[in-house]
Structure formats: structure tokens, C-alpha cells
Amino acid sequence: MIEVKALKKSYHSISVLRDVTFSVARGEFFGIIGPNGSGKSTLLKMISGVIPPDSGDILLGEKSIRSYSRKDLARQLAVLEQEALPPVGFRVREVLEMGRFPYQNWLGEETEDPTALIDEIIRMLGLVELEERTLDQLSGGEKQRVALGKSLVQKPKLLLLDEPTTYLDIGYQIQLMDIVRSWQKHTQVTVVAVLHDLNLASLYCDRILMLHKGNQVRVGDPREILQSSLIEQVYGTRPIVMEHPIHQLPQIFLQSGS
Ligand SMILES: Nc1ncnc2c1ncn2[C@@H]1O[C@H](COP(=O)(O)OP(=O)(O)OP(=O)(O)O)[C@@H](O)[C@H]1O
């Protein structure tokens, strides 16, 4: 689905990503982790075509993302990011309708009626009661669900999530990740998610890329990545790693300094 080859990026001659190379299979849930400033968002912005790499390439379904038009790219991928929502005056349903823009002509019409799809996504995200409200009448967690809805109605083949659970309480974190995973089973969408929470990354990702200061440290399954010595080397704090009693996946426990 995606092949990232020898990506490099500098800002004002300061190198922020070096030789990043990995591939993501169709239908995979792929995580990107790393400390603050390690280059995660920069990498995601390059995968979504927002910023170009200085060198290297990104293939999306065997074609370089540079060769896609904006609209073609929007039919391939959707990005869920913190600031993705339109200004506050819009109602929830209107925001979801905006997600259909890659399929609309210049009059805002499309050949297939998206109403059933939008209804399905509104139901799945628990937004039925909220659909006539405007964005300023929603909580942070509700807005995040609307932003996810807008990405899903785009029917992307690749869904990019930039720290999707920031500002969400633990209940909404699990709810959002479960919704993404069940939508993924339903549609075979490929998911690439930047995550800060290593425990969530372990529970949901098939494979994880770990970045440190712009370098690719390792790509592997959660067991290969959530290792206390590796985490200490990258984050500067040594956690205890134990297996989750139900999911049989590694989870970390932080240790306070005193
Ligand atoms: N537009 C920019 N101009 C200059 N430097 C930038 C720009 N965007 C990012 N950087 C720098 O590039 C490096 C990587 O930033 P990036 O946002 O990709 O990291 P991140 O891993 O997503 O961080 P965080 O976890 O804190 O969100 C940082 O040192 C940052 O200061």
C-alpha cells in the first residue's frame, strides 16, 4: 500500500528526518512513535503530500504521491488531525458532508448519493443526537469524533491519524481506537497513526516504527518495540514492561524517579 524510501528532510539546513525506509501493507494498522520533536508529524505530513521530502520517495499503490493531483490524493487518503475541523458555525452533518469533496464536481454535486454512508457513520460514531448541533456546542471529545467522521466519509484507502487520542479521556481513547479498528475490518482501510501512548500503540498496532531525533530506530511488532532498554535509550526513562493479562501484548509501567 505504501512504500517509504530513503526519506530525508531538513528545515533551514537542520536535519529532522534521515533515511527513513519502511513499507505498510494493505489493511495494516501501523504506528509511529518517538519522543517530542523526533519527526513523527513531519513524516506524516510527507506521507499525506502536504510537505515534499528533500530526497527519497513515497509510493502509494505503486505510484509516487508526487504524481497524484490534490483531488486524486484525497480519494486515496484522509488525515485526522487536531486542527482539521472547519470554523465553528457549521453543523455536525454539514461537516461530514464536506468530507465528500473529493467526489464532488465544482457545483458540489456527486453522482452517488452519500446519504446512506453519512447516516451509517453518524450512527457508528454515536453522533445521532448531535448531528444538528454546531461545532461550538460540542466538547473536545465530541469534536474529535466529528473530525474522524469527516475522514471516514471520504472513504480513503489510507487513513492517517496524527495523535488521535490527545485530549480524550481513557473511555473516549479506547472508543475512538475501537471505532477505527472496526471500520478497518469492515473496509480494509490501511491506518498509519502517530501515537504518544505506547500502551495504546501496543494494543492496536500490527507494527510500529520508532523514531529518535529524526532517525529510524526500529520497525517491528509491539514485542520488538516495547522493550525497556530500547525505550530507555530513546525516551531517557526506563519503564517496567509486562504482558497484558488479557491481550497478551506488552504494556509499560512508568517508574517515578524518587
Ligand atoms: N515548519 C518547521 N520549521 C522549522 N522546524 C520545524 C518545522 N516543523 C517541525 N520542525 C522541527 O522539526 C523537528 C521534528 O518536528 P515534528 O513536529 O515532526 O516532531 P514530532 O515527533 O511530531 O514532535 P511532537 O511529538 O512534539 O509533536 C522538531 O525539531 C521541530 O522543531
Side-chain angles (χ1 to χ4, degrees), residues 16 22 27 39 42 69 84 89 96 128 145 174 204 212 251 255:
V16 295
F22 61 92
T42 303
S69 70
L96 265 64
V128 176
R145 273 186 283 155
I174 291 290
Y204 288 91
H212 185 210
Q251 296 285 283
Q255 302 186 79

Side-chain angles (χ1 to χ4, degrees), residues 11-12 16 34-43 45 163 194 196:
Y11 287 116
H12 318 298
V16 295
N36 292 131
S38 55
K40 304 179 297 296
S41 296
T42 303
L43 175 57
K45 284 194 183 115
E163 298 177 19
V194 168
H196 266 299

Side-chain angles (χ1 to χ4, degrees), residues 52-118:
D54 296 340
S55 64
D57 203 0
I58 297 164
L59 306 185
L60 191 59
E62 293 174 6
K63 254 174 61 179
S64 170
I65 58 158
R66 281 177 290 196
S67 64
Y68 286 89
S69 70
R70 212 176 97 77
K71 210 160 190 174
D72 280 344
L73 203 56
R75 288 194 198 114
Q76 297 290 324
L77 63 86
V79 190
L80 174 69
E81 52 194 349
Q82 304 292 321
E83 298 86 19
L85 288 176
V88 288
F90 290 98
R91 286 179 300 122
V92 168
R93 179 170 275 272
E94 286 172 330
V95 174
L96 265 64
E97 284 163 358
M98 286 173 198
R100 295 300 298 171
F101 76 94
Y103 305 97
Q104 292 167 345
N105 65 17
W106 61 278
L107 285 171
E109 297 160 339
E110 61 176 296
T111 39
E112 278 173 43
D113 181 2
T115 309
L117 173 69
I118 293 175

